[in-house]
Amino acid sequence: PVPTDDTVTMTVTYTEYQPHVGDQDALKLTVAGTVQENGQVLAKELLVRLHTPELTLTLLGPAVVGQEVPVQVVFQNPLPKALTGASLRMEGAGIACPKPVSL
């Protein structure tokens, strides 16, 4: 018999993998199968890194030593549900760290 290639597509929805992600930015997928003719077991694992959205920072005024400067932070939630308990905090050399801003 001639070997044949077969493609199987499976979809993992956000609602299925979300409870298992936690603080990790990755999913570990495992696929396994058995060759019926000889009982051989095949398995493969794949580590998938989830892309985290970027924050865009824009100065809304001139940065002058000794003066406050407003900063706009843009973040787009890629998830199909609202975020809860999120906060932003800015840190840097010489920056007095304000309290986190709750979102």
Side-chain angles (χ1 to χ4, degrees):
V2 177
T4 60
D5 289 341
D6 230 352
T7 300
V8 176
T9 302
M10 300 174 79
T11 301
V12 181
T13 65
Y14 174 71
T15 54
E16 290 176 303
Y17 73 77
Q18 184 271 332
H20 307 286
V21 174
D23 292 338
Q24 305 300 314
D25 290 336
L27 292 175
K28 185 176 180 182
L29 304 174
T30 304
V31 65
T34 304
V35 179
Q36 289 181 351
E37 291 77 11
N38 62 14
Q40 181 181 13
V41 175
L42 306 170
K44 180 76 175 179
E45 286 188 352
L46 176 65
L47 185 64
V48 178
R49 289 263 170 225
L50 301 175
H51 295 283
T52 54
E54 292 185 21
L55 294 174
T56 303
L57 303 174
T58 305
L59 292 179
L60 298 180
V64 178
V65 174
Q67 295 182 10
E68 291 184 1
V69 59
V71 178
Q72 178 186 48
V73 180
V74 177
F75 165 80
Q76 184 172 356
N77 177 9
L79 303 175
K81 68 178 205 176
L83 296 177
T84 58
S87 65
L88 290 175
R89 186 176 72 208
M90 187 177 300
E91 297 179 11
I95 294 177
C97 188
K99 293 181 181 178
V101 176
S102 296
L103 304 175

